[in-house]
Amino acid sequence: MTPDAAGLAAALQRGGVVLLPTDTIYGLHAVASSEEAIRKLVSIKGRHDEKPFVVLGSSRSQLESLGVLFPESSRPALDQLWPGPLTAVVGLEAPIPASRGRDTLAVRVPALPWLRELLEATGPLASTSANRSGELPLTSVRELPSDLQRTLDAVMDAGPLEGKPSTIVDFTGDEPRLIRKGDRLFTQKVWKTLRKSL
């Protein structure tokens, strides 16, 4: 099943969980501010811990509408690097369903234009790799187990994906801290941009 954008948005707004391609790999997505949707995502994922989800937004301002707190010193760099494969760990005014009780959150503005358009319609989405906990992430819808597919409200098939993991930077301390390197050239760009703006 490959619904159009309106169908995907409707499924998500009803509290559904949808399989979508991202800049990197396929991910399971649900509305980040919906308790019902996040409970369903946790159940499908099979998580038994309180690990928070990454949240995708169409822009920095949309993420701020969730209560995300971007340090003032980080904003110029983030505005240069987004949209792109940078995940920023930042503070929250108060926990949201996708943060699972924490007052910090990992957020990203994806590079895919159609995904940002979808986010404009749905609001920020919690995102996690398209697999059950402990299993390998999916790079193709063909790898999706039939029992997992039956639990989803919609699936978008974009063919095989070969994306690289995003670069993750923690902005919650006194200085930005690299947590994970992504693409080598992009990671270099991240640090050059941060050095110029901080």
Side-chain angles (χ1 to χ4, degrees):
M1 173 172 58
T2 309
D4 59 18
L8 290 169
L12 287 159
Q13 289 166 331
R14 289 194 300 267
V17 174
V18 172
L19 179 76
L20 297 172
T22 70
D23 306 85
T24 54
I25 55 177
Y26 281 93
L28 302 175
H29 297 81
V31 172
S33 58
S34 167
E35 291 279 5
E36 175 189 358
I38 296 301
R39 278 198 301 270
K40 184 172 183 179
L41 182 57
V42 169
S43 176
I44 290 173
K45 185 74 175 176
R47 276 189 176 170
H48 302 294
D49 54 23
E50 294 300 316
K51 186 177 179 182
F53 294 103
V54 173
V55 170
L56 306 181
S58 63
S59 63
R60 179 167 63 84
S61 61
Q62 188 191 59
L63 291 166
E64 287 172 333
S65 72
L66 273 183
V68 172
L69 301 171
F70 293 101
E72 188 171 347
S73 60
S74 74
R75 294 171 191 171
L78 291 172
D79 289 342
Q80 290 182 59
L81 295 164
W82 278 342
L86 169 65
T87 298
V89 179
V90 290
L92 280 171
E93 291 178 1
I96 62 171
S99 75
R100 311 200 65 204
R102 300 191 185 191
D103 59 3
T104 59
L105 192 66
V107 296
R108 185 166 81 247
V109 177
L112 297 172
W114 69 264
L115 183 51
R116 294 198 304 277
E117 289 177 13
L118 179 66
L119 290 161
E120 282 290 330
T122 62
L125 297 176
S127 180
T128 183
S129 58
N131 59 298
R132 290 200 167 93
S133 288
E135 298 176 357
L136 292 175
L138 305 183
T139 57
S140 170
V141 169
R142 291 184 178 183
E143 300 171 359
L144 185 65
S146 58
D147 63 328
L148 180 57
Q149 184 164 350
R150 285 194 294 270
T151 67
L152 303 177
D153 295 274
V155 172
M156 181 177 179
D157 189 348
L161 299 181
E162 297 181 358
K164 296 181 179 179
S166 63
T167 299
I168 302 178
V169 177
D170 186 344
F171 289 92
T172 61
D174 293 334
E175 294 184 358
R177 180 171 62 90
L178 180 67
I179 294 179
R180 183 179 72 191
K181 294 181 180 179
D183 176 77
R184 182 177 61 84
L185 292 178
F186 183 76
T187 300
Q188 290 175 355
K189 179 182 178 181
V190 168
W191 283 116
K192 287 179 182 178
T193 305
L194 288 172
R195 280 198 297 268
K196 288 179 182 177
S197 62
L198 296 177

